Every structure is written in C-alpha cells, then in structure tokens.
Amino acid sequence: MYLRRMTTPNRDVAVFTTIADLHSYLADARRSGATVGCVPTMGYLHDGHASLIREAAAHHKVVVVSIFVNPTQFGPSEDFERYPRDFDRDLAIVGNAGGTAIFFPSVEEMYPSGARSTIHIDGVTEMLEGAQRPTHFDGVATVVSRLFEAMLPDEAYFGQKDYQQTLVVKRLVATSPLEAVNRATITVLPTQREVDGLARSSRNVYLSQEDRADAPVIFRALSRARMAYADGERSATVLEQLMLDELSTVQRLQVEYATAVDAVTLLPSSVFADDQHIVLLVAARLGSTRLIDNLVIDPTA
Ligand code: AMP
C-alpha cells in the first residue's frame, strides 16, 4: 500500500512506507527503461537536500528520496527525539526539486527485529566525528546499506557537508557483498550555504538569534585556512592555528576539532605535499547546537 499525493506546483510524488511496495514501483519503472537515482535524508529538507534531488532528477527518470530519522546513528545523549520533522513541507520540496517518490519507512520497517546487526566500516571512522560520536558511523553504514537494499539505486547522491560520511559510504559500497549496495555509483555534491557562509543544515533551526549571528565564524575559519593554503602555507599546525584563532573570536563557541588532514585517509601530516588532496574540518557547539563544516582543497583541480 502506498499513498499518492499531489505536490506544488503540479507533480505527483508517490509515497511508500514499505520496502515491498517500493520494490514493485521500482520494478515497473525499470521495465519501462528508467534508471534510479536516490537521495537518502533525515527529512526537514532545505536547499542542500534540494540541490541533490535536482541533480538526481537531471540524470534519472526515477528519483527516490528517503526520509528516515535513523535512531541508530544518534548517541544516547543526542537529539534523536527533538530532531525536526515536517513531512508536508518535505513533500513539496521533493516535488518541486523533481523527485518522483519518497520512501518514508517506520523504524520497524527498517529494523524489523530491532537494531541488532550492524555494519562496521574501519579505517575512516575512528577519528573526527567517529571519535566524538563513537557509534555514529556504525549507524550510518548500517542504515545506508539497508536503504540501498530498499531503494536499489543506480546512483546515490550525498553532500560534501558530511565529508567523513561520504568516505564511509564509498568504503561501504566498495566492500559490500550485496549487489544492491556494491552496484551503486556514489556522487558527492558541494555544500550549499547561506549568504554569510553558514552551511545549510536541518539543525540550524535549533540556533537562537545570537547563535545564528555567531555561526558563520566556522566558515570564516575554514576560509582563512584555505586562503593561507593558497598563499603557500603547507604546515598543518599553522593551518589549524589560523582556524582556531578565527574561531576564538566567538568566545561562546566550544570547538571539538579544527583540523587539516589528508582528504583520502583523514590522517594527519605535519607538512602537506604540494599535490596532496587535503580537507579542512571543523566541529563546534554553539549553545545546544552542534555544527560541522569542511572545505576540500584539491591542488590538482
Ligand atoms: P541529512 O538529512 O542531514 O542526513 O542529509 C542528507 C544528505 O543531504 C546528506 O548526504 C548530506 O550531506 C546532504 N546535505 C546536508 N546539508 C547539505 C548542504 N548544506 N549542502 C549539500 N548537501 C547537504
């Protein structure tokens, strides 16, 4: 069973709550020659999500957006219960961006016997977000594998905003024995920002007026290090100190990490090679909100 709902301005979006119904829709679509793009999300969609949906719609006749606030990627003291939700608004955003279907499963549909089996990816999960949120990437890898089994994508779209997550997903796809997972192409798209540089995020709704005014310091810190890199700076310590100096201009910001590391391995180097692909990453708390952001520097681009 699924509901079919009209969205603005004039596009039908099919809404599926079960894997079986989604599979029969996908089988029909494939029989008519369609390829399938998918965009996994936790809902409360914004322009960052819409950019992924639009890109998927430019390349695939069928675009499935999943909306699932995945409990297994939240730690016990994190914001699972209060994570923002607004299905009707999401439906309109999906339709306007060119999505053809929403997969909106219950927790029971995704974890029928509880969340007892998990997938662990090693190598890129121990540091940064993995160090701050020890069970987070097991939850991410597990849900992405299950979502791919449900959505059977030819191509799946992720945002660079969650940089470490993109490495985890690529490694999941490269190592999974499941055809539904290992056949998917992973496409990573740039971070969409507010005009003052703040990365768009569903969690920005938690920011108080004061938090919101202070939050762009994160992008300023990343930009300052990127500028120093462009001027020839290759010392990780110097790049990190520049970010910390900028971040310290907002005293109430609590920095979890501000680091410059290899973009492929996430491992530190003291001095970067001129052809090394690097990533600058920041995680910080403002009031009760945790924000992350990053900039990738690809000297070969
Ligand atoms: P979420 O709903 O936060 O789990 O995000 C779903 C997908 O949207 C992930 O691949 C995110 O990286 C991506 N995403 C979130 N924020 C942005 C943004 N500001 N720009 C581009 N992609 C984003």
Side-chain angles (χ1 to χ4, degrees):
M1 288 286 291
Y2 63 89
L3 350 164
R4 188 173 277 274
R5 306 264 295 261
M6 185 74 92
T7 66
T8 53
N10 56 7
R11 183 163 197 145
D12 271 344
V13 176
V15 180
F16 302 95
T17 56
T18 69
I19 296 168
D21 287 337
L22 179 58
H23 278 179
S24 67
Y25 164 84
L26 293 170
D28 285 351
R30 282 196 194 285
R31 269 193 292 276
S32 71
T35 58
V36 178
C38 90
V39 183
T41 83
M42 297 206 297
Y44 211 72
L45 304 179
H46 50 68
D47 219 48
H49 300 110
S51 71
L52 304 182
I53 300 168
R54 281 194 294 270
E55 184 68 11
H59 293 94
H60 301 281
K61 196 155 161 224
V62 165
V63 174
V64 186
V65 179
S66 59
I67 297 179
F68 180 61
V69 184
N70 173 36
T72 67
Q73 70 190 70
F74 289 78
S77 59
E78 294 181 3
D79 57 345
F80 174 69
E81 293 297 340
R82 72 165 183 147
Y83 196 84
R85 295 160 168 90
D86 187 341
F87 184 79
D88 289 338
R89 190 168 151 274
D90 288 348
L91 182 65
I93 291 173
V94 170
N96 289 334
T100 61
I102 293 178
F103 179 47
F104 185 52
S106 64
V107 172
E108 293 68 37
E109 183 71 7
M110 292 303 290
Y111 298 110
S113 49
R116 296 214 181 92
S117 72
T118 60
I119 296 175
H120 176 74
I121 302 291
D122 60 15
V124 287
T125 54
E126 296 78 12
M127 61 291 271
L128 304 168
E129 289 301 284
Q132 300 292 331
R133 309 176 69 191
T135 57
H136 174 65
F137 286 124
D138 286 359
V140 168
T142 303
V143 80
V144 169
S145 181
R146 291 177 182 217
L147 287 170
F148 280 16
E149 287 191 85
M151 299 197 279
L152 306 173
D154 293 291
E155 187 167 10
Y157 295 79
F158 291 85
Q160 189 196 303
K161 159 81 171 24
D162 299 280
Y163 185 77
Q164 193 173 6
Q165 170 173 283
T166 66
L167 298 185
V168 172
V169 170
K170 285 178 183 169
R171 191 168 283 217
L172 168 73
V173 166
T175 57
S176 176
L178 302 172
E179 199 195 340
V181 180
N182 64 37
R183 66 183 288 281
T185 299
I186 303 302
T187 296
V188 177
L189 296 177
T191 303
Q192 301 295 309
R193 301 181 178 282
E194 306 284 353
V195 284
D196 57 13
L198 175 65
R200 291 183 194 270
S201 165
S202 306
R203 288 189 168 99
N204 290 353
V205 71
Y206 300 151
L207 297 170
S208 69
Q209 225 174 349
E210 187 187 11
D211 297 336
R212 178 64 190 82
D214 287 338
V217 74
I218 294 176
F219 183 64
R220 283 202 303 277
L222 292 164
S223 303
R224 194 163 154 190
R226 179 170 61 182
M227 217 132 58
Y229 179 93
D231 287 342
E233 184 56 65
R234 296 291 179 271
S235 156
T237 315
V238 173
L239 294 172
E240 289 172 3
Q241 193 55 52
L242 286 169
M243 289 194 278
L244 289 171
D245 288 350
E246 186 66 37
L247 293 168
S248 70
T249 62
V250 173
Q251 282 187 359
R252 45 195 296 278
L253 188 82
Q254 293 169 268
V255 180
E256 288 185 1
Y257 57 79
T259 191
V261 291
D262 184 275
V264 178
T265 62
L266 299 181
L267 294 174
S269 300
S270 49
V271 177
F272 295 112
D274 276 338
D275 61 353
Q276 198 171 348
H277 195 173
I278 75 169
V279 58
L280 310 165
L281 302 121
V282 171
R285 283 177 194 278
L286 257 182
S288 62
T289 312
R290 185 171 186 277
L291 299 170
I292 59 170
D293 200 354
N294 67 81
L295 285 177
V296 173
I297 300 175
D298 177 0
T300 61

